Amino acid sequence: MSYFSTVDKIKYEGVTTENPMAFRHYNPSEVVMGKTMKEHLRFGVAYWHTMTQDGSDPFGSPTNIRTWVGSTPMETAKNRVEAFFEILEKLDVEYFCFHDVDIAPEGNSLGEFFNNIDEITDLFKEKMDQTGIKLLWNTANMFSHPRYVNGAASSNSAEVFAFAAAQVKKGLDISKKLGGANYVFWGGREGYESLLNTDMKFEQDNIARLFKMAVAYGEKIGHKPQFLIEPKPMEPSKHQYDFDAATTMAFIQKYGLEGDFKLNLEANHATLAGHTFEHEMNVARCYDALGSIDANQGDMLLGWDTDEFPTNIYDTTLAMYEILENGGIAPGGINFDSKVRRSSFEMEDLLLAHIAGMDTFARGLKAAAKLKEERFFDDLKDKRYASYNDGVGARILSDQETLESLTEYSMQNGDIKLESSHLEFVKSRLNDYLV
Amino acid sequence: MSYFSTVDKIKYEGVTTENPMAFRHYNPSEVVMGKTMKEHLRFGVAYWHTMTQDGSDPFGSPTNIRTWVGSTPMETAKNRVEAFFEILEKLDVEYFCFHDVDIAPEGNSLGEFFNNIDEITDLFKEKMDQTGIKLLWNTANMFSHPRYVNGAASSNSAEVFAFAAAQVKKGLDISKKLGGANYVFWGGREGYESLLNTDMKFEQDNIARLFKMAVAYGEKIGHKPQFLIEPKPMEPSKHQYDFDAATTMAFIQKYGLEGDFKLNLEANHATLAGHTFEHEMNVARCYDALGSIDANQGDMLLGWDTDEFPTNIYDTTLAMYEILENGGIAPGGINFDSKVRRSSFEMEDLLLAHIAGMDTFARGLKAAAKLKEERFFDDLKDKRYASYNDGVGARILSDQETLESLTEYSMQNGDIKLESSHLEFVKSRLNDYLV
Amino acid sequence: MSYFSTVDKIKYEGVTTENPMAFRHYNPSEVVMGKTMKEHLRFGVAYWHTMTQDGSDPFGSPTNIRTWVGSTPMETAKNRVEAFFEILEKLDVEYFCFHDVDIAPEGNSLGEFFNNIDEITDLFKEKMDQTGIKLLWNTANMFSHPRYVNGAASSNSAEVFAFAAAQVKKGLDISKKLGGANYVFWGGREGYESLLNTDMKFEQDNIARLFKMAVAYGEKIGHKPQFLIEPKPMEPSKHQYDFDAATTMAFIQKYGLEGDFKLNLEANHATLAGHTFEHEMNVARCYDALGSIDANQGDMLLGWDTDEFPTNIYDTTLAMYEILENGGIAPGGINFDSKVRRSSFEMEDLLLAHIAGMDTFARGLKAAAKLKEERFFDDLKDKRYASYNDGVGARILSDQETLESLTEYSMQNGDIKLESSHLEFVKSRLNDYLV
Amino acid sequence: MSYFSTVDKIKYEGVTTENPMAFRHYNPSEVVMGKTMKEHLRFGVAYWHTMTQDGSDPFGSPTNIRTWVGSTPMETAKNRVEAFFEILEKLDVEYFCFHDVDIAPEGNSLGEFFNNIDEITDLFKEKMDQTGIKLLWNTANMFSHPRYVNGAASSNSAEVFAFAAAQVKKGLDISKKLGGANYVFWGGREGYESLLNTDMKFEQDNIARLFKMAVAYGEKIGHKPQFLIEPKPMEPSKHQYDFDAATTMAFIQKYGLEGDFKLNLEANHATLAGHTFEHEMNVARCYDALGSIDANQGDMLLGWDTDEFPTNIYDTTLAMYEILENGGIAPGGINFDSKVRRSSFEMEDLLLAHIAGMDTFARGLKAAAKLKEERFFDDLKDKRYASYNDGVGARILSDQETLESLTEYSMQNGDIKLESSHLEFVKSRLNDYLV
Ligand SMILES: [Co+2]
Ligand SMILES: [Co+2]
Ligand SMILES: [Co+2]
Ligand SMILES: [Co+2]
Ligand SMILES: [Co+2]
Ligand SMILES: [Co+2]
Ligand SMILES: [Co+2]
Ligand SMILES: [Co+2]
């Protein structure tokens, strides 16, 4: 059965096409800087936003029309697998991501939940074998159920910690079963609603404990996905411990997790934390910890996570530039953690919105490659930092100077001449690279 | 000569006084939890806001009337010393803080600047000997001069790095001379105006280099103040590397500086970074890095650093609670990094504003002590985390559990019962502790 | 049947009580400035947060335990009436507020919905007659149903406008039936998700049209409640037309609605719009349009509407000061548009949270009355604006001056001497009024 | 004498040029939708940012190298006139804007200030006659001097009100002398630092008084520039009364100023108020009050006015679209209220930055024209609001319906079918219009 029977596989048709169901910029097989676009971009579709998000918001009921809803939760779950792989194939997307609760009903017990997961992941495996589509990452939802009201690993209840541990174990089991490349932790309730009743250190110690258990279990079962932590500053909790990339790196270092953990960075989480997306990616690169990205965009004037499909070409250009600087994003990918607007409630919007996001990232890739090939930023920075190439600069970099030797140097050095950054010119010229 | 000849030493007169030049809550010798208020609070006055701030803002000229302005920069500098110690004595404040450029004119060369500093610090030393007043911390201003337009240690110019190093050496020399308890780094330009022309990793490596030179020099001269980094997210730079407490801890750990560096936390910097002050202090405590605090408050609806004198009793109560939990703030202190509003332009406002801040912190101390003595938060948390005292909780804390054992446990464990936090009740009861 | 059988009517017991189910500050019969607290405060309970809010959030399922859920929607609806009036009586609250959809199931047609409303409002009427409890205001929910995805009166669909009109008619009918004192419009979807596809002027014209129809209908049926518009800047829509008090006054004036419309101001909406609550109330007073208030508080570091119960005594003091300046809030009231935190999920939290809010407003009333009685702000302002009492100031106020006459005056006038505001002193002294 | 002797008049050279001192997109004589670019764009240069801004910020000293600084304030003032008109001519800009204090030293008395203004405006007049360059608008700076610490017309001091009136009179006199097209009021101190000591209504009444005096004086001297109010929410004051476009329209209506006053909207002020620039322009259009614009851009993650040169092509496209919809911006213009970054401190940056801004607006104009010509938004909206073209929709628009008739209609009307907005598709397609 087809859920999008009137739509063929989406093809690249270029900017002149009038067909909305076509790529205007994303050309999977086009070679950019020695690799195909598909290899560079490693797109993933998110199960939650695409298959289970219903268009509701805190002030409104569901709007989304979804033709896969069946008469039982399990029937719906199975229909979704069918529809999901149709979407992936029609979009020519190679990767996908999911939470445990997205794919299977929780039932009435942990055992029933796990059985449901097994049944659905069997279907996944079948589809993956048929299509070559791969699991970018999976994760356990440890924030929606009321038991997680005060956190999962950071809960004040040891029983809740134990339940979370069981979900993580299952998550790693299905990661192994499906050959998952990464495994993600996003701690939506790992934080606090009020500091007044919270022991922050106790809770963070426990989070580290769960992470170490996960590493140990992965080793035991001989499956080592790249572990990723996804920072977000707030929402749903008033404060979440993994506020941003740097905060998460402080945590990772404190608990000695550098060997096993990198970051999964989301654009909208970056801006909620007061940073640009490219900043967060750059921070991660400073710590050699850029693992994967959640592609979306926020509204800079709104204080919550809107998870919009990325359509801003400045953002995707600078994000793709960071990825090129990183030597690519593999084994991570570009996962559309994006949801259709509440008014884009038709089935076909799922395709249109992903096309929009993929085209915008394709534009970003092409612009970033041009910037790289023409050495726009490289030349700028080489010139800017040139004083460190020799003389006192070189001696500083090789740790041959001290406060005393530099005081002597400065006592004799005359007025320092600096050069203008011409930042306005730089920003205007950047516009000429956007394509 | 006296600059406040009509004002005597400020005394505690209690809430019934009509005298504005009196403490209504701060009673230096009053004993709270076994220590005098003065010992607990370790107040410091900031040279910059009190002696050199002129009331100008980006849209307006100076408003402040200051009677110590002389006919030459050096005469003014000397008058300021006189006036400053009069203020400290009249307020009964034991500590002070300054930047190098606050106290002495920069002159026309580094040599001249250092000579000026020597002359003024000689006066300081004399005054300190006479009065028993002590240096809480000093620092080098490496952000105001045009040479620092692109940073100091993070500058693209090695010559600028060298100049900064010379200022830091001098800063440590005068710290030794005056017996400074701490030495602070605040990197107002250690960050970027635009990421487009910035090599963040290169710049942060260089900042760490300067810090290590400082540690080495301190060891060499046999003077080891507690080094402190003061986080601030933005302003003047678009982004500053020491964004907040956690970000700074990531940096400190990355470069192995834990042994020598702690944090100097400012209330207004906390809120600009999206955190409460008590949150930042709590984060620092998690890393055993609460060094000292800059007492002030921001306007929660404004996006820049207003550095207002602290008058909010919620904030000071929760800040003092963190200090009590920390076992005190020594060798750090409570430095009023606060400036009078532009409309509070008279000389006497300098005293009135510090009285306001000191009274508000005294209220905070008393409220925090009561909360501690009555175990308001302690009992709340003990009860809340009780599930970790034995059984599966205790086994988790002692690292005896694994994902597998916890899965087994959860499979058999029934529905989890949680208790309400009654947060509204908690918040309302907190009001009864404010005094 | 009782839903809170273990709790008696809440009584004032003062600050020494250990009983959590008691007022510590709200003493209904205590006389303050010539009126009882109850007369001053005119508290209202909100049906939506108290009876239908379930503890869910965008990332989590319901947590709230509610014992009134029956086996059919209509049975639940009836149980809620019972429980609601029990809450009102136990809290000694005289007013209540509701949306149409809060009280009765929408059923399968507009006709069925209206029948359900009739049935439930019959029960209301009975209870009101028995208890003397009154309707502060009701409103029509024209934002939750998917039909309102693009607005109600501002919808691009005329059919949706018509549907909204039908709900408003019913709203006015039940307002008449229950003797409602006010009728509120909050336009959660009267705004836009994207300006790209929006005709702002067209949409606002239509909103004014609906308002005029409501006024006309009220006149026709001989029921004239005070119409109120509740501003909110954003959420759920990206932008809502009634952004804040001033924006709404621009709208009201443009469409000539001043005679019939005032404002219902909410604390959390104020701060989301970048204002303090007291600012919004003061703006409304400038336009003689302070109608009623929605009492709650937001988190100043979060960008969404948290609708917390008010527990900040600064906020309630300044809000009550505005109300005293306004000569009271009647025929409006103080409606708790506040919801229990997701972790306060027990039935008794509904009482505890209202007690917290009522006590905090009682504190605010007492502090505001003291400020008023001791003329703290009045004296401050009289002195501050004294230059307008005579001379050139008086001539300006009586419109006797011109640019030319004032130029002449200024040419001869010497340097202008201003006085310090001593703002830090003012803020510190304010603390002494908080009780 | 030339201040930019190595630079010829800037010419359009297209995107292939390597010459930084050339327009890549702005081609003054190119015809777009029937008018030349120059006629559409009506660019203005701001005297303050270009001639008197020095690169200082609240934490740093001046950085800007300016070769026009002479040995006396008046000599500098005269050099600036020379340099300014050289800049205008080299940039081919037809309009300019200034504050009184930008152009002439304030001297020691109001009389001396006015004489200085007379002398400088004589030079202006000469230059204007020679070059054909015109005055877009002037204004009086009533916020920088310490006398304005508490406001100008809103000051608590009647003497200050009088002084402000004198400045406004002089401003109108020179507006007449120079043939100014508009006259602007920006009230940087017309607001409050604290509501605690402020009588908002009193102050706003006085602001309206000053405005009415200005209108009367203009009539008297037979010079009627378009009066403009420039909204800004905060900074330097904590709150400014002209918060945003809508707030200012509320004020304008309240005091009956609609006939004489329109708005001067600034991009960075829009975002500080929580709005997009296009939103503010659209609001102004709803009130028929779009007067002129201040072209710049802010940093969406910073909470203060950065006044950056506009380089974002989304922003300029949507701003130009509003201007096209408005039938042009005349008699207003596009004034670069933009300053070079502190690191762009060389003289040539003044040209480079304006070129960047002009090119970005030229891109915006071309993109907006294409959107208009291809009816991209027009078709979208026509389709979207089609239900109002006939039937019940048309009857609503012609005020033939009532709550009762619409209830009857809705009772019989079946389920309402809405169409998806396909917003993601719309946003992605918009990218194809950017040029
Ligand atoms: Co994500
Ligand atoms: Co998100
Ligand atoms: Co500080
Ligand atoms: Co500060
Ligand atoms: Co409300
Ligand atoms: Co609300
Ligand atoms: Co402007
Ligand atoms: Co501006």
Side-chain angles (χ1 to χ4, degrees), chain D residues 266 268-269 296 305 307 337:
Chain D
E266 177 179 322
N268 203 156
H269 297 179
N296 62 20
D305 200 20
D307 282 348
D337 190 356

Side-chain angles (χ1 to χ4, degrees), chain B residues 59-61 63 342, chain D residues 106 141-149:
Chain B
F59 295 84
S61 308
T63 53
R342 193 167 176 263
Chain D
E106 295 181 65
N141 175 322
M142 309 191 298
F143 49 89
S144 293
H145 194 281
R147 84 176 64 86
Y148 294 124
V149 62

Side-chain angles (χ1 to χ4, degrees), chain B residues 343 349 363 420-422 432, chain C residues 343 349 363 420-422 432:
Chain B
S343 65
D349 287 304
R363 283 173 177 268
S420 167
S421 66
H422 301 321
D432 290 322
Chain C
S343 64
D349 287 304
R363 283 172 177 267
S420 166
S421 66
H422 302 321
D432 290 322

